[in-house]
């Protein structure tokens, strides 16, 4: 093969681009360690936001200037407020009701240069308990229930399932539990909670029913008009479980947010999670029209959009993976289970490597704990998922370049344990994006330790 000058120039350009990309990624950390902001920005850095680091395990430092933060807040919340007011009549909350929006905060840390670094929102059990308690006290005024992401709403539902007896007891006695000792939480709730045995009995009866299928959220908050949480992208895997609890309340995914960047607003809030679009679809060259403006999209031959799993030349996109899971979980209905959480990773510890899928199941009725699984049915789920993978995967399987798909069923609470591990390391529950694919060895270790089948 003859090495041409054009080929050498192309390699040189690729090396320069790679080096530049690495330098750009390092610049926020250089500022955090004391260098001036002008190495990357014209305005001084006010503080840093931290991404969750959910997939890889390491959060990223994102520099924030006063100008960009104020602009983002004003534009986003003004536009979103107008849209929600038009759709749901949420203009004057004094007249329309209250929104139960689960948000969490903690003291910020400092970088070496003295600038603050913080997750946008974070969590602890005391805050969750107090917010749910206030939501229950005002249950007849609540017009929406939500948080930043679907994962937080599901975590709150799980928390309510575990603590509804104690929450009801607090309302009955008009006194907050002794273990809630954070002064801020305690002082606010103590000033509001008053003895209300009738409300306590009502909540205890609703939450103590045999099954929460059919809408525990709608039953507990009867005037709620929607569930407000992001259910697109990686959050789409939780949409069906959220519908299980919502009782027909629309799941309103208001924005497109990633790594602390607000990328778009959903202009059609009542769209189903899988119908929401923030960007126009690419147009093939044969379909372009004279007089129209287009931007050129350049990619590699083997590229696929949103690739999450890859072995050899096989690639699985996030959408394909979701469709494969949906195909497989149809076998769960006869068992009376729903798929509560899932994720995946590539196991390259042996040759050939293979894909691993983690599933956490929930019984539709009764106790959450699954005592016995029908192994035949679960094997069918695994087989159905593998059969749904594309031609390239099946080709590699035939040639033994990829080993068989492995499905691991987890004990109840496994994904809560994963979330808690991230929170304990300074991540935010409100930011937590349960990944479709995980790369962190520690995260994989946590899930592997809780495999039941």
């Amino acid at each position: 093969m003859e090495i041409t000058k054009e080929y050498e120039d192309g390699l040189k350009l690729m090396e320069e681009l790679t080096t530049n990309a690495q330098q750009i990624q390092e610049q926020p950390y250089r500022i955090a360690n004391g260098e001036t902001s002008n190495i990357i920005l014209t305005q001084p850095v006010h503080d840093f936001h931290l991404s969750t680091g959910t997939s890889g395990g390491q959060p990223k430092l994102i520099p924030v200037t006063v100008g960009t933060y104020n602009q983002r807040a004003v534009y986003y919340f003004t536009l979103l407020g107008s849209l929600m007011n038009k759709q749901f009549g949420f203009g004057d909350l004094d007249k329309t009701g209250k929104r139960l929006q689960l948000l969490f905060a903690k003291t910020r840390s400092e970088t070496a240069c003295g600038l603050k670094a913080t997750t946008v929102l974070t969590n602890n059990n005391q805050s969750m308990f107090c917010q749910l308690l206030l939501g229950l006290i005002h249950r007849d005024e609540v017009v929406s229930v939500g948080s930043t992401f679907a994962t937080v709403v599901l975590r709150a539902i799980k928390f309510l399932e575990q603590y509804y007896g104690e929450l009801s007891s607090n309302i009955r006695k008009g006194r907050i539990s002794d273990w809630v000792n954070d002064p801020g939480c305690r002082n606010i709730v103590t000033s509001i909670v008053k003895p209300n045995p009738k409300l306590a009995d009502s909540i205890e009866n609703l939450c103590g029913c045999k099954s929460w299928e059919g809408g525990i959220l709608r039953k507990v908050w009867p005037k709620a008009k929607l569930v407000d949480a992001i259910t697109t992208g990686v959050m789409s895997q939780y949409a069906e479980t959220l519908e299980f609890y919502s009782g027909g309340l629309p799941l309103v995914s208001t924005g497109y947010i990633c790594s602390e960047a607000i990328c778009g607003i959903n202009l059609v809030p009542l769209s189903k999670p899988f119908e929401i679009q923030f960007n126009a679809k690419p147009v093939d060259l044969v379909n372009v029209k004279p007089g129209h403006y287009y931007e050129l999209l350049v990619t590699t031959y083997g590229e696929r959009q949103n690739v999450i799993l890859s072995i050899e030349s096989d690639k699985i996109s996030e959408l394909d993976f979701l469709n494969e899971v949906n195909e497989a979980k149809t076998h769960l209905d006869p068992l009376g289970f729903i798929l509560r959480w899932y994720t995946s990773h590539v196991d390259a510890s042996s040759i050939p490597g293979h894909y691993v899928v983690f599933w956490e199941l929930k019984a539709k009725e009764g106790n959450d704990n699954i005592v016995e699984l029908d192994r035949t049915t679960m094997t069918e789920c695994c087989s159905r998922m593998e059969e749904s993978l594309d031609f390239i995967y099946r080709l590699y399987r035939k040639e033994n370049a990829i080993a068989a798909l492995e499905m691991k069923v987890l004990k109840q609470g496994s994904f809560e344990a994963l979330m808690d591990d991230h929170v304990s390391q300074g991540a935010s529950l409100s930011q937590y994006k349960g990944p479709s694919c995980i790369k962190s060895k520690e995260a994989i270790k946590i899930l592997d330790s809780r495999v039941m089948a």
Side-chain angles (χ1 to χ4, degrees), residues 276-318:
I276 296 171
Q277 291 188 0
F278 294 98
N279 308 100
K281 292 183 179 180
V283 178
D284 293 334
L285 186 61
V286 294
N287 293 320
V288 301
K289 299 176 181 178
H292 290 248
Y293 177 82
Y294 299 91
E295 293 180 349
L296 186 64
L297 177 64
V298 180
T299 184
T300 61
Y301 175 77
E303 185 63 33
R304 292 190 193 176
Q305 190 177 19
N306 300 324
V307 170
I308 60 169
L309 291 171
S310 179
I311 298 179
E312 298 289 338
S313 296
D314 182 62
K315 294 179 174 67
I316 300 178
S317 72
E318 190 171 7

Side-chain angles (χ1 to χ4, degrees), residues 338-390:
I338 61 169
L339 178 59
R340 189 163 179 265
W341 311 81
Y342 70 82
T343 190
S344 62
H345 79 98
V346 172
D347 186 346
S349 61
S350 58
I351 300 176
H354 67 283
Y355 299 135
V356 178
V357 180
F358 293 103
W359 277 20
E360 183 178 323
L361 307 180
K362 172 182 168 55
K364 290 183 178 181
E365 295 185 359
N367 197 299
D368 256 355
N369 296 317
I370 300 169
V371 179
E372 185 176 350
L373 288 172
D374 184 328
R375 297 189 67 89
T376 301
T377 302
M378 295 310 302
T379 301
E380 288 174 359
C381 286
C382 188
S383 298
R384 181 74 173 269
M385 187 166 183
E386 185 164 45
E387 289 165 3
S388 301
L389 294 169
D390 64 14

Side-chain angles (χ1 to χ4, degrees), residues 71-350:
Q71 287 175 2
R72 179 177 68 174
V74 170
Y75 291 157
Y76 179 73
F77 290 109
T78 300
L79 287 171
L80 183 58
S82 299
L83 184 67
M84 298 299 283
N85 183 33
K86 180 181 178 181
Q87 186 70 59
F88 298 103
F90 284 170
D92 187 349
L93 284 181
D94 291 333
K95 296 178 181 178
T96 59
K98 303 182 187 301
R99 280 178 278 182
L100 175 56
Q101 194 75 4
L102 298 158
L103 303 173
F104 307 90
K106 73 169 188 177
T107 305
R108 302 185 297 178
S109 61
E110 285 191 0
T111 63
C113 70
L115 291 174
K116 299 292 184 181
T118 178
T119 49
V120 176
L121 303 162
T122 192
N123 169 74
N124 60 53
N125 282 346
Q126 295 186 43
S127 178
M128 178 73 84
F129 186 90
C130 290
Q131 291 185 72
L132 285 174
L133 181 59
L134 293 176
L136 293 173
I137 291 171
H138 297 287
R139 66 178 292 247
D140 289 327
E141 301 172 74
V142 171
V143 294
S144 77
V145 178
S147 187
T148 315
F149 297 111
T151 44
V152 188
V153 181
L154 288 175
R155 181 64 181 265
I157 293 169
K158 180 72 173 180
F159 195 94
L160 179 63
E161 193 173 29
Q162 293 173 323
Y163 286 90
Y164 74 84
E166 186 175 348
L167 288 162
S168 299
S169 177
N170 280 208
I171 295 172
R172 182 175 290 106
K173 297 175 182 177
R175 184 177 181 276
I176 190 170
S177 296
D178 292 337
W179 66 270
V180 180
N181 53 27
D182 178 86
C185 291
R186 192 169 188 88
N187 291 341
I188 291 173
V189 176
T190 300
S191 66
I192 295 173
V193 64
K194 299 291 187 293
N196 192 336
K198 183 178 179 181
L199 175 60
D201 290 343
S202 178
I203 292 167
E204 204 156 31
N205 289 334
L206 287 170
C207 295
C209 62
K210 185 178 180 181
S211 172
W212 281 17
E213 183 176 13
I216 192 64
L217 295 182
R218 172 163 268 172
K219 292 174 183 177
V220 172
W221 291 285
K223 293 184 180 178
K225 298 180 181 180
L226 70 149
V227 177
D228 179 6
I230 291 174
T231 52
T232 54
V234 70
M235 291 292 147
S236 60
Q237 62 167 292
Y238 308 112
E240 186 174 347
T241 307
L242 208 49
E243 287 174 345
F244 175 86
Y245 294 110
S246 67
L249 288 175
L251 307 183
V252 177
S253 188
T254 54
Y256 176 14
I257 301 175
C258 57
S259 296
E260 318 324 297
I262 299 173
C263 306
I265 290 177
N266 176 15
L267 297 177
V268 189
L270 289 176
S271 298
K272 296 289 185 182
F274 299 106
E275 297 172 353
I276 296 171
Q277 291 188 0
F278 294 98
N279 308 100
K281 292 183 179 180
V283 178
D284 293 334
L285 186 61
V286 294
N287 293 320
V288 301
K289 299 176 181 178
H292 290 248
Y293 177 82
Y294 299 91
E295 293 180 349
L296 186 64
L297 177 64
V298 180
T299 184
T300 61
Y301 175 77
E303 185 63 33
R304 292 190 193 176
Q305 190 177 19
N306 300 324
V307 170
I308 60 169
L309 291 171
S310 179
I311 298 179
E312 298 289 338
S313 296
D314 182 62
K315 294 179 174 67
I316 300 178
S317 72
E318 190 171 7
L319 180 59
D320 288 342
F321 183 64
L322 177 62
N323 290 336
E324 289 145 12
V325 170
N326 287 337
E327 280 285 325
K329 70 182 183 182
T330 56
H331 290 282
L332 295 176
D333 287 337
L335 301 180
F337 297 149
I338 61 169
L339 178 59
R340 189 163 179 265
W341 311 81
Y342 70 82
T343 190
S344 62
H345 79 98
V346 172
D347 186 346
S349 61
S350 58

Side-chain angles (χ1 to χ4, degrees), residues 17-70:
L17 290 173
T18 303
T19 301
N20 290 340
Q22 291 172 343
Q23 290 175 347
I24 290 171
Q25 291 175 358
E26 293 168 358
Q27 284 169 344
Y29 297 90
R30 289 168 56 189
I31 296 172
N33 288 324
E35 293 192 45
T36 59
S37 304
N38 61 15
I39 63 172
I40 188 173
L41 298 163
T42 57
Q43 298 181 13
V45 173
H46 179 263
D47 58 13
F48 293 95
H49 284 170
L50 295 173
S51 69
T52 54
T54 307
S55 298
Q58 292 296 323
K60 297 180 179 66
L61 277 180
I62 301 165
V64 179
T65 66
V66 174
T68 55
Y69 184 80
N70 288 342

